Amino acid sequence: MKTAMLPFLGKTPLLAAALGLLALAGLATQPASAEERAKDLFGAKKLPAATAAQSIGFYSKGCFAGGVAIPMDGPTWEVMRPSRNRRWGHPAMIAVIEQLSRDAAVDGWPGLLIGDISQPRGGPMMTGHASHQIGLDADIWLTPMPSRPLSMAQRESMSATLMVDEKTHLVKDALWTPAHTRLLKRAASYSQVERILVNPGIKKKLCDTVKGDRSWLRKVRPFWGHDYHFHMRIGCQPGSPGCKAQEATPDDDGCGKPLAWWFTQEPWRPNKNPDAPKARDLMTMANLPSECRAVLDAPGPASAEAATYHGGSVPVAVAAPEPEAPSLPATAASGMTGLPSAVNAFTATPEIGVPLPRPRPPGN
């Protein structure tokens, strides 16, 4: 019996050793790639980098430091989908949102329902947007704030109002009001705001109805999605030498041939490769500016409240970083390596420059 068992026993240590080597090999390779996936690293950060405010890279390929949060509630706004923790932005972005909420209230808009701004340190998100990475983008719902405060549960589950007919791509006239036009005009009136993205049907509605001064329409650009919210983007701010600016919008009102294209079949043809991976799912830290590693490693404030923006004063925790906080390099020119062109879904779109938050219609 012993003799019969010996060959088996003799192989057991070898088998165990082989399995051990395989397990070590798996640990050496699999987690390494997962660890470097940028959306996992940035999505895990609950608080901003407590350094001076600085946007690094491009709107769809970067990060930011010194972010501040807009309060969950204000006299003229409420934050929607709070569990996403995307109420963070560059202080200038948060200031513009608060100013818009106050000015819009004077114009007759009851209050803003604020969608996604950015993650605490920006970077690619786990889901949704390709942009919103450097703290200079914000989504504002086209649904006015209700007269009664929304509970946290309602903010998580309440649906926004779809303003556009998905078949005709035209605005639902029963839902559109002059107040919607005033809200968009007010947002476009700010010098910091460079671009506002709306559904093509909304752009057409503005082109067809706006009288008098139409100069502000040049900032309002049509794009896929944006049928229940508008996307407001401000430009690169002082103190952010590594921020990559977008192309300027054309000088005309945008109501000519470029808009007419959206009402042909071409923009609405099904995506030929709907299963292709999104850029955010492929980005590693190597694809972002090298300075974004320092943003990830920087210490955070003591709490979210310590980095919350209140009426024009930048929180101390962000304005005055602790001595041990790593300084960020002056520029973001290095490390701007890109993904292969085949998967470069965040390449800036001519005259628009913002990757779509909702893709083209999927194939049947």
Side-chain angles (χ1 to χ4, degrees), residues 35-80:
E35 182 185 358
E36 288 301 303
R37 196 165 64 167
K39 73 174 189 177
D40 295 329
L41 298 174
F42 280 98
K45 293 294 183 180
K46 305 303 181 187
L47 295 171
T51 68
Q54 182 180 164
S55 296
I56 300 165
F58 191 60
Y59 297 86
S60 55
K61 189 179 177 184
C63 59
F64 72 104
V68 295
I70 191 166
M72 205 71 74
D73 297 280
T76 48
W77 76 84
E78 289 180 296
V79 172
M80 304 302 287

Side-chain angles (χ1 to χ4, degrees), residues 40-352:
D40 295 329
L41 298 174
F42 280 98
K45 293 294 183 180
K46 305 303 181 187
L47 295 171
T51 68
Q54 182 180 164
S55 296
I56 300 165
F58 191 60
Y59 297 86
S60 55
K61 189 179 177 184
C63 59
F64 72 104
V68 295
I70 191 166
M72 205 71 74
D73 297 280
T76 48
W77 76 84
E78 289 180 296
V79 172
M80 304 302 287
R81 308 296 188 261
S83 64
R84 293 181 180 178
N85 196 30
R86 296 176 180 178
R87 60 188 178 107
W88 301 86
H90 188 287
M93 179 81 258
I94 304 303
V96 168
I97 296 171
E98 290 197 8
Q99 181 181 356
L100 175 61
S101 76
R102 294 189 296 269
D103 292 344
V106 175
D107 295 337
W109 191 259
L112 302 183
L113 295 182
I114 300 170
D116 290 350
I117 308 174
S118 293
Q119 298 178 139
R121 304 187 187 206
M125 295 183 179
M126 292 296 293
T127 59
H129 316 276
S131 58
H132 292 250
Q133 293 193 27
I134 56 175
L136 305 178
D137 296 294
D139 287 344
I140 308 296
W141 285 23
L142 290 166
T143 305
M145 189 173 81
S147 57
R148 299 182 64 178
L150 295 170
S151 67
M152 289 299 163
Q154 288 173 323
R155 297 185 199 201
E156 295 291 351
S157 61
M158 174 180 164
S159 296
T161 304
L162 188 67
M163 304 297 298
V164 176
D165 187 300
E166 294 181 291
K167 293 183 178 179
T168 65
H169 309 298
L170 297 174
V171 163
K172 298 176 182 178
D173 288 327
L175 298 178
W176 191 262
T177 69
H180 287 93
T181 299
R182 291 195 297 269
L183 174 63
L184 291 170
K185 181 178 182 180
R186 178 64 73 174
S189 72
Y190 303 135
S191 60
Q192 306 98 309
V193 174
E194 293 187 350
R195 195 178 251 96
I196 295 172
L197 292 187
V198 297
N199 184 276
I202 294 175
K203 174 69 175 184
K204 186 178 189 311
K205 171 61 72 174
L206 296 174
C207 289
D208 292 345
T209 59
V210 171
K211 308 298 181 184
D213 176 24
R214 293 168 61 91
S215 61
W216 60 275
L217 291 177
R218 70 176 182 83
K219 292 186 180 182
V220 183
R221 314 307 299 180
F223 211 60
W224 289 281
H226 302 91
D227 41 22
Y228 66 87
H229 72 277
F230 67 92
H231 179 134
M232 181 170 64
R233 169 176 290 181
I234 67 173
C236 292
Q237 298 298 301
S240 298
C243 180
K244 184 178 179 182
Q246 61 189 343
E247 294 180 9
T249 57
D251 290 333
D252 62 19
D253 61 12
C255 294
K257 285 185 177 180
L259 178 60
W261 176 80
W262 288 97
F263 294 92
T264 66
Q265 293 182 352
E266 172 59 26
W268 313 107
R269 289 175 181 167
N271 190 338
K272 294 180 180 179
N273 190 11
D275 297 326
K278 301 291 189 296
R280 65 168 181 268
D281 297 325
L282 300 172
M283 279 186 179
T284 66
M285 291 304 296
N287 300 125
L288 298 179
S290 59
E291 293 81 359
C292 288
R293 176 61 69 176
V295 171
L296 275 178
D297 294 340
S303 65
E305 179 58 29
T308 296
Y309 185 97
H310 290 288
S313 60
V314 179
V316 174
V318 175
E322 298 176 8
E324 65 269 24
S327 59
L328 299 177
T331 68
S334 60
M336 294 291 286
T337 55
L339 293 171
S341 59
V343 296
N344 195 0
F346 48 77
T347 299
T349 302
E351 299 186 7
I352 298 174

